[in-house]
Amino acid sequence: MIRLASPDIREEDIDRLLAVIRSGDLVQGRSVEEFERAICDFAGIPNCAAVASGTAALHLALIALGIGQGDHVLVPAFTFPATANVVERVGASVVLCDVAPGSYVVTPDAVEAALSSSKDTAIKAIILVHEFGFPAEVARIAEIARRHGVKLIEDAACAMGTIADGYHPGHYSDVACMSFHPRKAITTGEGGALLSHNAALIEELKRLRNHGIRVRENGLDFTEAGLNYRLTNFQAALGIGQVHRFTDELIARKTLASHYRLRLDGIRQIGLPDNSSGHSWQSFMIVVEGVSRDLLKAQLLERGVESNLGAQALNCLSYFREKYRTDELSCPEATRLFRCGLVLPLYGKLTVSQIDVICDQVLTALA
Ligand SMILES: Cc1ncc(COP(=O)(O)O)c(C=O)c1O
C-alpha cells in the first residue's frame, strides 16, 4: 500500500524525544525554544511562538489582533474548517470568498471585490490560506489589507517552505500560522507555530499561550485571560531534526510534483494544480472531471494506493449552511474542488518510480 502521507521521523528524532522524556523536563522549555529558533532560521522570519496546534495558532492570532464580537473576517471558502471555526469561536462572523480554479486559493481581485462590496459588514481581518502550499499573492493582498485598514493573517498550516512573492509566510502579514499535524510537511504529532516580524506581537502571543502570565521582578503576574496552548518539550524535540532536514524534503517534494505533472498532463479527465516555483507541495490535488472522484478513490485503494479528498467547501457544510444560509452555488469553485478534488500521495520518502506506479494505476482506473 502506498500511503497518502508519511512523516519523515528518523531514529535521531526519536532519540532526541526520548532524551527529553528521560530528563523529566516535559512541558514548554528549552526544546521548544530550540524548535522556535530552528523555524525562524528556516523561514527567515525573526520571531516565532510554538503552540499546541495550527488551530490554537489561528485562535491566538485572532485574539491578539483584537478580532471579536461583531467583527467580520474574510475566509477562503475552500479550506479546512479550522480556518473559519476560530473566527466563530471569538464571536466574529465569517465572510466567505471563493477561490481560483487551478491554484485553489483566493486572488487579490476577489479579496478587493469582497472588501469593497461589504462596507456595512465591517470586515476587520482577512485569513489568507496558502492551500496545499500554493503561494497565494500575498504582497498584493497585504497592500489591499493596508488600504482597507484590515489585519492580515496567513493560514500557513500547509505552507512550511512556501515562498510567496519572494518570502516565507509571516513576511507580509501581521502573523502566519503553521500546523505540525501528521498530514503536514513536518510533524510534532499535534503542534503549531506563529511567525511574525512583530516581536511585541509574538511576546503577547507567548503570554496568551501560557495563561496570560507575565514575569515581574517580584514574581508572576497574570495580566490577561490567557489559555494553555503550550507545546511540550518532547513534541518540539521530535520536530527539530525535521526542520533541519526540510530543505532536502522540499527539493524531493518539488521533484515528485513535477513528475506527477509530467505523467498526468493532457489526460482528459484530470485537472492539474497550477505550478509555481514557490509551491511547497504539502499536497498534490488533482481535479477529476467526467468520472466519479469517489469511485476513482475506491479503485485506487483496491490497487494499493491511498488517496483522499482535499479540503472542504465551507459553504457546503451544515454549520455554515445553517448560520449563513449558504449553498453549493454560494461559492461554486470551492464546491467543485470539494466534490471533485483528489489528493494523491506526496512526501519526500516516495520515489519517482512509486509516482509512476500511482500514475499507472490512475490511468488504468480511468481507462
Ligand atoms: C488550512 C488549515 N488550517 C488549519 C488547520 C488546523 O491545524 P491543526 O490540525 O494543527 O489544528 C489545518 C489542518 O488540517 C489546515 O489544513
Side-chain angles (χ1 to χ4, degrees):
M1 176 68 65
I2 302 181
R3 303 288 311 275
L4 182 64
S6 170
D8 177 28
I9 295 174
R10 301 191 185 171
E11 282 307 310
E12 67 206 59
D13 304 319
I14 295 169
D15 288 346
R16 201 181 265 119
L17 177 146
L18 288 176
V20 169
I21 291 181
R22 290 199 179 98
S23 76
D25 189 9
L26 303 187
V27 296
Q28 180 191 285
R30 262 182 306 179
S31 298
V32 170
E33 285 170 16
E34 191 182 338
F35 184 50
E36 290 171 341
R37 276 196 304 277
I39 295 170
C40 288
D41 289 346
F42 174 79
I45 307 286
N47 308 290
C48 173
V51 291
S53 67
T55 307
L58 288 164
H59 192 195
L60 289 186
L62 290 171
I63 295 170
L65 294 174
I67 309 301
Q69 204 69 41
D71 294 335
H72 288 70
V73 178
L74 194 67
V75 170
F78 186 66
T79 182
F80 187 69
T83 314
N85 288 346
V86 289
V87 172
E88 298 290 317
R89 278 291 149 218
V90 296
S93 298
V94 164
V95 177
L96 294 180
C97 183
D98 208 356
V99 296
S103 65
Y104 319 147
V105 302
V106 296
T107 63
D109 288 348
V111 169
E112 179 80 68
L115 289 178
S116 305
S117 69
S118 61
K119 294 238 177 327
D120 35 67
T121 52
I123 292 180
K124 288 280 174 54
I126 302 165
I127 304 183
L128 176 63
V129 181
H130 299 283
E131 191 57 88
F132 307 138
F134 184 89
E137 286 182 64
V138 63
R140 277 185 65 202
I141 291 174
E143 188 274 313
I144 293 168
R146 256 194 311 279
R147 196 157 24 82
H148 286 265
V150 164
K151 300 284 185 199
L152 178 61
I153 298 169
E154 282 171 280
D155 181 340
C158 305
M160 169 103 177
T162 292
I163 299 297
D165 293 319
Y167 294 94
H168 197 276
H171 180 80
Y172 291 101
S173 56
D174 291 284
V175 67
C177 301
M178 308 181 68
S179 164
F180 307 125
H181 178 272
R183 268 293 282 117
K184 302 300 184 276
I186 70 162
T187 188
T188 53
E190 297 283 1
L194 297 118
L195 279 173
S196 177
H197 280 287
N198 184 339
L201 179 68
I202 292 290
E203 281 314 305
E204 160 83 357
L205 288 161
K206 285 183 175 174
R207 283 194 290 279
L208 285 169
R209 78 175 169 189
N210 189 24
H211 305 293
I213 292 174
R214 191 188 284 257
V215 183
R216 302 231 192 250
E217 268 174 25
N218 54 354
L220 295 186
D221 196 1
F222 292 78
T223 55
E224 44 224 312
L227 294 152
N228 178 356
Y229 276 169
R230 293 180 307 239
L231 190 71
T232 64
N233 270 344
F234 50 96
Q235 287 171 300
L238 190 65
I240 291 165
Q242 294 177 68
V243 179
H244 290 151
R245 297 191 299 272
F246 196 68
T247 304
D248 290 339
E249 170 78 21
L250 209 49
I251 292 168
R253 282 172 181 261
K254 287 181 185 205
T255 306
L256 297 170
S258 299
H259 198 64
Y260 264 134
R261 297 182 61 79
L262 199 72
R263 286 292 318 271
L264 299 178
D265 191 29
I267 307 297
R268 189 171 39 85
Q269 303 98 325
I270 294 179
L272 287 176
D274 285 353
N275 203 359
S276 162
S277 60
H279 204 321
S280 59
W281 297 107
Q282 177 262 339
S283 285
F284 191 91
M285 189 184 90
I286 58 171
V287 181
V288 181
E289 280 150 23
V291 283
S292 155
R293 182 267 317 272
D294 295 339
L295 184 61
L296 177 58
K297 179 171 175 278
Q299 286 173 327
L300 287 176
L301 194 61
E302 265 172 34
R303 296 159 195 263
V305 177
E306 244 180 25
S307 61
N308 205 355
L309 75 148
Q312 318 282 320
L314 301 185
N315 50 301
C316 295
L317 307 183
S318 295
Y319 178 84
F320 299 94
R321 289 181 89 113
E322 280 160 29
K323 181 166 178 194
Y324 296 104
R325 302 268 152 237
T326 56
D327 59 25
E328 307 222 329
L329 298 178
S330 316
C331 300
E333 200 48 52
T335 303
R336 188 180 73 96
L337 299 174
F338 177 43
R339 300 275 179 245
C340 306
L342 186 70
V343 173
L344 300 176
L346 181 63
Y347 40 95
K349 282 186 290 184
L350 278 178
T351 60
V352 168
S353 34
Q354 281 174 305
I355 301 290
D356 275 330
V357 170
I358 297 164
C359 293
D360 289 343
Q361 298 300 1
V362 170
L363 298 181
T364 313
L366 289 177

